[in-house]
Structures are given as C-alpha cells and as structure tokens.
Amino acid sequence: MSLATLSYRIYPLGDAAITIEFGTAINAAINKEVVARFQQLLQNPFKGMIEIIPAYSTLTICYDIVKVRKEYPAGTSALENVKKIVEEKLQQTIPPVETVERLIKIPVCYEEEFALDIDELSAAKNISKEEIINIHTAKKYKVYMLGFLPGFAYMGEVDEQIKMPRKTQPTPTAAGSVGIAGVQTGIYPLASQGGWQIIGRTPLKLFNAGREEPALLRAGDTVQFYSISKEDFTKQESDSLF
Amino acid sequence: MNVRIIKAGILDTLQDLGRYGWQHLGINPGGAMDKWSAQVANILVGNNRKDAVIELHFPAAELFFEEPALIAITGANFSAHINAEEIPHGQPVLINKYSILQFYGLKKGARAYLAVYGGFDIPKWLNSYSTQLKAKAGGYSGRALQKEDEIPIQSIPSSLAELLGKTEFLILPWKAEATMETTKQETILLLEGEEWNRLTDDSKQKIMTYSFIVTPQSDRMGYRLKGESLTTTNNEELISSAVSFGTIQLLPDGQLIVLMADHQTTGGYPRIAHVISAHQSRLAQVKAGEKIQFSFTNHQKAEELLLQQQQHLQQLQNACTFRLQEYTNGNRH
C-alpha cells in the first residue's frame, strides 16, 4: 500500500535546517506520513544532508550549508536548493514498504511508592486508582516521536478519563517513571526534571548507551503497558538487560 | 602517555564538533559550544578539526603532562600558565615533560578550548567524542573531568621534542588572529523564526531595539535572557517539533531562551528567531551578566558569513599544516 501524500508546508528552522509540516495536530495518519517520509529520506539522502528529526506532525531536515553550496552551486542559497530537493522527493509516491509494526509490552508498577501523582489524578478526575490503572493498560499506544531526553518516547493518546495537564512546576523525576501530559503518555528513560503526572514506574531500561541502538522505542512502534507488583518490579529491575 | 587532571575545574568536558544522526532518538548533537575556537585549537597543533578537545569553564582544571606535548588554547582567555609562566593565547606551544598547565584568571570570554597534538585519545560513542552528560556517555566516562583522571594522548614527533631540549616551553611562531569579525562584536545576527509573527509589533520592536542580559541561569543547554517582556497576539499551544542550536524560544513569562549545544532535540515553545550559524560561536563566548544586541539578516547573508568562516579556517589550516611540517621535518629556516 502506498500513502497518499498529505498537503504540507515547508519552513526554515534557522539557516541549517528546514521543517516540513504535514499538519498541526497529534494525529495517527499525519504521523504515519511523517514516519514514512523519514524512512524515505533516510534511505535516499541528498548530498549535504546531516540528519532528519521526525516529530508529531513535522519532519526536520538538518543540512551542511557548506556542502550543499558546493554540491549544488546553482541558485542563490543552500536553503533554496534543499527546499527544491525535498519538494521533489515529496512528489514521489513512496513504494510500498514492508514495515514490521512492532508491539512492545512494557511492565509498569503502579504502586504508591512510584505513582507520585496518581492521587492528584484520581481526585481531579474523580476515578479510583484501580480504574486509572485499568484505563492506562487497556489501550495500545502509538509512539509518535522521540525527543526531550535520549530515548524519551511521546505516546498517545490516553483515554479522556485520565487526560491531565502537566504540573505547573517540574520536579525531580526518576528513570523509568511513567507519566501523563494532556493526551500524551511517556516514560522518562533517565532521571530528569520533569513536569508530567507520574502514575507508575517501569523496571525496563528505556535507554542504554552501550547498545548499538541505544533507545528501546522508535517512532512508529506500538506500546502496551501491563501492571506488575512491587516484587516483580524489583526482580525485573535487577535482571533487566535493556 | 597521559595527561593527568591534578585539580578539577567547575565544568571541563571532552568535546568535538558534535554527534549527528541520532536526534530522532532524542540524543542531541552536543559538541563544543564555540565550534570556531575548537577547530582553531586543533588546527594550530596540526590536528583534524574533528579531533577531541577539552572545553574548559572558569575556574578551570589544572593539568599535568608527563611527557613533552604540543598544545594550543583558544576561545576564552583564562590566562594560561605553564609552570607558573604565562603562555600566549591562540598560539601553539611546545611544553616539556612534567609541565603543569594552570589557568590564573578570567580575562575574556566564557569557555576555553585546549587541543593537544594528535588529539585526546578517547573512545567515540555514536561516532563522536562529545560528552553527553545526561546519558552519561561519550567523552571521558560520560562525565566532566575529575581529579586523578588520566587522558591518553599521542607522543609528539622526536624532531619536536628535540627542539625543546631542556627549556620548559617553546612558543611556535604561528598564530590564529584573535578575531575575523567584521560586524560589531556584541551584535548577534538572527533569522526570523516560524512564530515571529505571533509577537505584537511592539514586541518585535523591542527585540530589535533593546539589549538583553545573559542571566546566571545560562549553561550549555541554553542561555536564559533578561530583557523587555514580550507579548504575543496568539497563544495557541504548539505541539512539539524539532529545535536546534540557536533557536530562540519565547517562554510563558515573556522572556527569551536561546538554545545552545546541549539543547533538547524537540520543544513546544514559540520559536521567535534563530541565531545564524556563523554567530553561534560568538554567542557561546558571552558570559552571564553580559549584554547582547540582536539584529536581523536574511538567509543568503547568513550562509555567506558561514562560508567566509569556513574559507578562513581552511586557509588557517593550510598555513598551519605547512609550518608544522617544516618543524617536524627539521628543515625550517
């Protein structure tokens, strides 16, 4: 199956990158186009292309101004040339790709010790903690993008019943913390200051610098959480290789 | 041989020109804040521009060299001393074995770069020497340098060591010009960001008219600026997308933040403007408490300025390589 190209807009991000915007919403169809175009450009890079950063509804392409000017001497700027090259690529229909959609199951311990903000969520949404856990684990989430921290996956969308805005002040957040921010859910791969509402913690290592592919999750993956006890958490944490 | 840290500085890390190709996993490029100076330091000692250098902040580390070495210090001037005698900034210096390198005081700038002949011999992580402090990877054990750390370096050619004889150090007679800038030092050139037009006309005027102070809440991740409070006509929330070195975001309190080398890969605050690539190194030498003045330019000019810098670096590299070869071949006149 090939994707129909969505309408898009290109704008510069400073003098060494351009962003292609396929939409302005968190939407699975838009993100699918982003991920497909990410793969297309990754497999067919142009001379001077440095890297590509997919996000919810945008794809940002970083380029080397000096190399682009050298490789494509016509035109007045590297920006113009990169825009032209990218627009040509966007005109191409992407050949059907055999994508293996990965489903990754992630254990989460929702017990009080780790679920620092579950009481607030429970009170704000007027539902029990058990219901929160049931709702959070019932759905399969799409990994829309990675960003913020090494290996931090932005996933969505959570059920309306457990949707909650970020905290007003970021607080120290432990590695493995599972949180909610609006309709997004995510896992802190490393200890960091964080503003998401923390409802549990996974014993899995989401990021490991020693691996060839250091991040456990990639944009386009599907994730499902399942609830584990404190005992299982401790056990899995000690023998988690990833 | 090794270089040993005999006293730690506040934040001294191994860096190169950045780690590219991993931002899709949330791993930012990092690298030297002032990439111009990092390259010049390497060029002065005959290295590849991408070799590892130490980025030093003041107060900086003290280093002990157990064997003769060829070093160069660029970027900020921290008054470098070898065995208690001042050595020049931006010039290669041959130092003898058992030398102690210390930095006496902050004369100018925010971060200095130390290059040694052959580069610091540390393993790469994801194809870069740069230190990723959050992931605790890259650089020297993924962290800032500490007392007793030993960083391996190459021995210098015997012809250079012989030149030294018993002298403590020898200043080699080539140097980098302190500056190649044509515009006023404190002016930082910008390109409009995607959300520039969200600013009220009054706020747009303020950015172009008033100067901004770099606050103490500024670091390798970003410079928080203090200036006239800015307002927008549209407060619609943005969904996260990529940001870059030099992106200037408007924070909810009406103040600006300029993203620097260790910036997050993505963000959701309005992108008001971007510091042009050619002025990022200059900005990296502005320290807390100092003022900056912005001015706008266009893409063509931004690219031209970067091309000029690259040409300048290339000429410097050709000249330095030639001079160093004369010395290592022992046929200087």
Side-chain angles (χ1 to χ4, degrees):
Chain A
M1 166 197 86
S2 70
L3 291 159
T5 304
L6 299 170
S7 65
Y8 61 85
R9 200 167 73 82
I10 297 181
Y11 59 83
L13 184 80
D15 59 7
I18 58 164
T19 295
I20 315 164
E21 185 185 87
F22 295 99
T24 53
I26 299 178
N27 171 295
I30 293 171
N31 189 254
K32 198 168 180 174
E33 178 81 9
V34 169
V35 174
R37 293 296 178 183
F38 169 68
Q39 295 296 346
Q40 181 201 7
L41 281 156
L42 211 57
Q43 282 152 23
N44 308 285
F46 58 88
K47 285 173 184 158
M49 185 177 101
I50 295 174
E51 66 177 314
I52 329 168
I53 315 160
Y56 277 112
S57 65
T58 59
L59 200 56
T60 296
I61 301 158
C62 306
Y63 56 89
D64 181 328
I65 297 169
V66 179
K67 272 193 195 144
V68 172
R69 293 278 291 237
K70 206 166 145 191
E71 293 291 342
Y72 310 93
T76 52
S77 64
L79 171 67
E80 239 177 63
N81 281 305
V82 170
K83 255 188 182 171
K84 213 174 105 197
I85 296 163
V86 168
E87 273 176 341
E88 276 164 20
K89 291 199 190 280
L90 290 172
Q91 296 310 315
Q92 296 165 15
T93 316
I94 310 172
V97 272
E98 290 151 47
T99 46
V100 188
E101 292 223 348
R102 302 196 306 173
L103 171 67
I104 293 159
K105 295 197 170 180
I106 295 181
V108 179
C109 178
Y110 293 91
E111 286 181 32
E112 221 161 298
E113 176 183 354
F114 303 133
L116 304 180
D117 306 311
I118 206 165
D119 285 338
E120 281 89 332
L121 181 64
S122 166
K125 308 298 278 191
N126 197 22
I127 49 171
S128 71
K129 284 191 252 181
E130 288 66 39
E131 281 174 290
I132 294 173
I133 299 166
N134 287 338
I135 294 167
H136 194 246
T137 53
K139 223 174 155 179
K140 283 180 182 148
Y141 302 105
K142 186 176 160 58
V143 175
Y144 281 104
M145 61 180 275
L146 271 72
F148 170 47
L149 283 174
F152 188 102
Y154 288 79
M155 296 174 266
E157 298 161 73
V158 300
D159 193 282
E160 282 287 326
Q161 295 175 80
I162 58 167
K163 175 182 150 184
M164 182 144 163
R166 258 164 245 249
K167 292 181 262 194
T168 45
Q169 283 297 324
T171 50
T173 306
S177 295
V178 176
I180 288 174
V183 294
Q184 309 168 102
T185 183
I187 310 162
Y188 285 82
L190 308 165
S192 163
Q193 287 290 110
W196 292 33
Q197 307 284 351
I198 304 304
I199 59 165
R201 194 182 298 174
T202 178
L204 292 191
K205 284 199 173 66
L206 273 290
F207 188 84
N208 184 337
R211 303 261 315 205
E212 201 176 321
E213 196 172 347
L216 175 64
L217 301 174
R218 303 180 201 139
D221 284 345
T222 304
V223 163
Q224 186 157 25
F225 298 105
Y226 64 96
S227 175
I228 57 167
S229 65
K230 178 73 202 299
E231 291 73 53
D232 285 343
F233 178 92
T234 313
K235 195 169 158 284
Q236 290 189 35
E237 194 183 33
S238 58
D239 54 32
S240 165
L241 287 175
F242 202 107
Chain B
M1 71 165 275
N2 290 323
V3 175
R4 196 165 79 234
I5 306 296
I6 49 178
K7 192 178 165 191
I10 47 161
L11 178 64
D12 302 328
T13 53
L14 268 305
Q15 299 292 347
D16 61 10
L17 302 183
R19 176 177 289 108
Y20 292 94
W22 302 92
Q23 290 199 75
H24 65 285
L25 298 182
I27 303 168
N28 71 1
M33 288 277 276
D34 172 356
K35 294 192 175 64
W36 165 267
S37 297
Q39 293 182 82
V40 170
N42 272 325
I43 287 171
L44 287 170
V45 297
N47 287 353
N48 186 308
R49 290 192 226 167
K50 290 181 177 173
D51 281 341
V53 295
I54 298 179
E55 180 179 272
L56 303 139
H57 290 84
F58 197 83
E62 291 179 16
L63 303 95
F64 176 77
F65 293 79
E66 53 189 30
E67 296 288 334
L70 173 61
I71 66 167
I73 298 154
T74 62
N77 188 336
F78 292 165
S79 179
H81 283 64
I82 287 288
N83 306 332
E85 220 178 304
E86 187 154 18
I87 57 165
H89 184 256
Q91 202 167 348
V93 182
L94 269 171
I95 58 172
N96 222 324
K97 62 179 175 182
Y98 312 141
S99 286
I100 291 176
L101 171 63
Q102 291 167 301
F103 297 90
Y104 279 28
L106 201 170
K107 283 185 173 171
K108 192 171 188 286
R111 27 195 74 85
Y113 294 86
L114 168 68
V116 296
Y117 176 90
F120 292 96
D121 194 8
I122 53 163
K124 281 184 176 180
W125 177 58
L126 303 180
N127 205 29
S128 164
Y129 298 115
S130 292
T131 311
Q132 227 290 355
L133 293 171
K134 281 227 173 80
K136 297 184 173 68
Y140 189 94
S141 303
R143 58 165 171 77
L145 294 171
Q146 293 171 3
K147 192 178 170 176
E148 302 303 335
D149 283 349
E150 297 202 342
I151 318 160
I153 65 169
Q154 264 184 46
S155 294
I156 55 170
S158 54
S159 53
L160 288 180
E162 281 160 18
L163 280 177
L164 266 169
K166 286 199 160 57
T167 53
E168 292 196 355
F169 64 83
L170 184 68
I171 299 156
L172 298 185
W174 59 91
K175 56 181 163 189
E177 288 165 52
T179 174
M180 50 133 332
E181 303 289 354
T182 47
T183 40
K184 247 174 77 188
Q185 277 294 333
E186 54 272 34
T187 304
I188 300 289
L189 288 180
L190 305 180
L191 292 168
E192 286 178 10
E194 188 53 18
E195 282 77 48
W196 167 253
N197 281 321
R198 284 190 173 199
L199 288 176
T200 60
D201 288 343
D202 181 52
S203 289
K204 286 179 182 173
Q205 274 305 321
K206 282 176 176 169
I207 291 189
M208 295 187 275
T209 315
Y210 297 103
S211 56
F212 290 81
I213 296 172
V214 175
T215 70
Q217 290 76 48
S218 299
D219 54 21
R220 280 185 47 91
M221 289 173 67
Y223 277 16
R224 274 174 178 268
L225 306 182
K226 176 102 183 73
E228 294 280 320
S229 185
L230 307 171
T231 45
T232 54
T233 51
N234 173 358
N235 289 322
E236 205 183 310
E237 231 181 272
L238 294 159
I239 59 171
S240 286
S241 67
V243 288
S244 69
F245 195 147
T247 299
I248 303 182
Q249 294 176 317
L250 179 66
L251 300 177
D253 64 0
Q255 297 293 328
L256 299 172
I257 182 167
V258 191
L259 302 182
M260 301 298 281
D262 281 345
H263 66 83
Q264 294 177 191
T265 55
T266 56
Y269 291 126
R271 297 150 297 180
I272 297 306
H274 302 271
V275 175
I276 64 166
S277 296
H279 281 185
Q280 288 165 7
S281 292
R282 179 195 286 189
L283 182 62
Q285 291 300 349
V286 179
K287 50 183 189 294
E290 291 181 335
K291 281 180 184 169
I292 48 179
Q293 179 85 45
F294 295 125
S295 177
F296 282 83
T297 187
N298 59 43
H299 279 269
Q300 226 176 315
K301 180 89 169 107
E303 290 183 11
E304 286 301 329
L305 285 170
L306 189 77
L307 289 178
Q308 280 169 25
Q309 284 191 352
Q310 290 302 311
Q311 277 164 12
H312 187 94
L313 283 175
Q314 192 56 54
Q315 283 162 5
L316 186 68
Q317 186 159 28
N318 295 344
C320 290
T321 307
F322 179 74
R323 296 302 299 275
L324 187 62
Q325 267 167 8
E326 282 185 323
Y327 269 79
T328 45
N329 296 337
N331 59 358
R332 74 204 158 88
H333 305 288

